[in-house]
Amino acid sequence: MWVGTYVPFFIYLLQYLRMHRNILLFFVACIYYALVSYSLFAFGAGIIVSSLLLFGLPAYLLARFSAAPAAVLIAVVVFGTGISLVFEGVAHIYGIWYTIGVDEFRLFGLVPIEVVFTSILQILFLTLLYELVFDDGVYSTSSARARFIAFGVFLASAVLLLLTHVYLLKGIYFSHSYLWLLAILVGSTLATLAAQQSLTLRFARRLGCFTAIAFIPLFLSTVIAVENTQKIFAYTNDYLYSFTWFGNTLPLEEILLILVLPLFVATFYELYLDDGQLNTPNT
């Protein structure tokens, strides 16, 4: 009698949880990030601990849950390394921001080595979040292997760009350089979509939802970095607008970067590392 009454209920409950998996994941993630953010603020955590808790642990869980293949993870690591070198190198050269590393060692005298590590964790997290929650959850291993060279070229180009500026273009600066960096990200994303003729309404909605969710941990990371003196925005005259956050400067361009970065990462991952099926409904 008891079994006959409650078994259908539990079956319905399991079906409901399966249908609403993403909603449950969202609430669990909110609780996790609320607790982690409070702890990082309270203990004044450094850049490595903050990145491990905000991006590293969630990326590990996403990779284990989705059984992400090594070829895809390695390609994303190479991609993330190139992004970190460009961002941090340009930021240091033009004074957009200054990242306080654990020690004084910097690649090419520009990029703190630990920032490369933390940036890789961030890009890994964004990629895995997009694939598992907003895409179909199926990785394209053959595409990752075939296009690994393209990501290697991107990394080599990033290194070449920094070396060129350090040794050949030293002393040449552009005003509003943060805005130019954002324009390049947006322009390259739109140009890639246009060249592939890949922008569809379904993919645009997917990007919008992904950006809205990714904004939460990225914004928390930025606020914690500013509050715990991991990242300093000192070139206030070159920003479009600056906010004051508990006595610390937070430029408008940083907020825009938090919105643009997920679009850039998801677009390049989907078109050059995944299957490129933009109309596939998410799971």
Side-chain angles (χ1 to χ4, degrees):
M1 182 70 179
W2 185 90
V3 174
T5 302
Y6 287 97
V7 165
F9 169 76
F10 285 114
I11 293 176
Y12 170 78
L13 180 61
L14 290 175
Q15 292 175 343
Y16 179 86
L17 292 176
R18 185 178 302 172
M19 291 173 58
H20 296 79
R21 182 195 66 181
N22 291 347
I23 297 177
L24 293 173
L25 287 175
F26 175 75
F27 281 109
V28 170
C30 286
I31 296 173
Y32 172 79
Y33 278 109
L35 295 174
V36 166
S37 299
Y38 176 79
S39 301
L40 294 175
F41 277 124
F43 293 100
I47 186 173
I48 294 180
V49 174
S50 298
S51 294
L52 284 173
L53 292 178
L54 290 173
F55 302 112
L57 181 58
Y60 171 78
L61 294 176
L62 289 171
R64 288 295 301 270
F65 184 79
S66 61
V72 173
L73 296 178
I74 293 174
V76 174
V77 167
V78 174
F79 184 47
T81 303
I83 292 177
S84 67
L85 291 180
V86 172
F87 280 26
E88 289 295 329
V90 171
H92 186 84
I93 291 171
Y94 291 103
I96 297 175
W97 69 72
Y98 296 98
T99 303
I100 310 300
V102 178
D103 55 38
E104 295 300 322
F105 177 74
R106 292 175 177 264
L107 292 174
F108 314 113
L110 301 173
V111 184
I113 186 64
E114 54 268 46
V115 175
V116 177
F117 171 73
T118 58
S119 297
I120 289 173
L121 292 182
Q122 189 177 93
I123 301 302
L124 271 174
F125 167 75
L126 291 176
T127 302
L128 294 170
L129 176 68
Y130 168 79
E131 179 61 64
L132 182 60
V133 179
F134 297 93
D135 200 14
D136 55 10
V138 179
Y139 297 95
S140 179
T141 306
S142 59
S143 179
R145 291 172 179 171
R147 297 178 177 177
F148 180 80
I149 296 178
F151 284 87
V153 171
F154 172 76
L155 175 58
S157 300
V159 174
L160 181 62
L161 175 65
L162 293 183
L163 292 178
T164 300
H165 207 293
V166 169
Y167 295 105
L168 298 180
L169 302 178
K170 189 174 183 179
I172 299 178
Y173 300 98
F174 300 94
S175 60
H176 298 292
S177 50
Y178 205 162
L179 189 60
W180 280 108
L181 179 61
L182 290 174
I184 291 173
L185 285 180
V186 173
S188 59
T189 302
L190 294 178
T192 300
L193 289 171
Q196 300 286 338
Q197 297 182 347
S198 302
L199 184 58
T200 62
L201 181 59
R202 183 188 293 273
F203 187 56
R205 290 174 178 172
R206 188 192 306 174
L207 287 179
C209 294
F210 171 60
T211 300
I213 297 302
F215 179 87
I216 298 173
L218 290 175
F219 181 74
L220 289 174
S221 175
T222 297
V223 171
I224 291 169
V226 171
E227 181 66 21
N228 291 356
T229 321
Q230 303 169 8
K231 200 172 185 180
I232 299 175
F233 298 94
Y235 200 7
T236 56
N237 293 331
D238 205 48
Y239 303 138
L240 287 178
Y241 185 80
S242 297
F243 303 93
T244 301
W245 183 275
F246 294 103
N248 298 303
T249 299
L250 186 63
L252 174 62
E253 288 90 335
E254 183 71 8
I255 306 299
L256 296 177
L257 177 62
I258 295 174
L259 294 172
V260 171
L261 183 61
L263 300 176
F264 176 80
V265 171
T267 298
F268 276 79
Y269 166 76
E270 182 65 67
L271 294 179
Y272 293 107
L273 190 56
D274 201 28
D275 51 18
Q277 300 298 318
L278 305 187
N279 287 319
T280 303
N282 59 292
T283 56

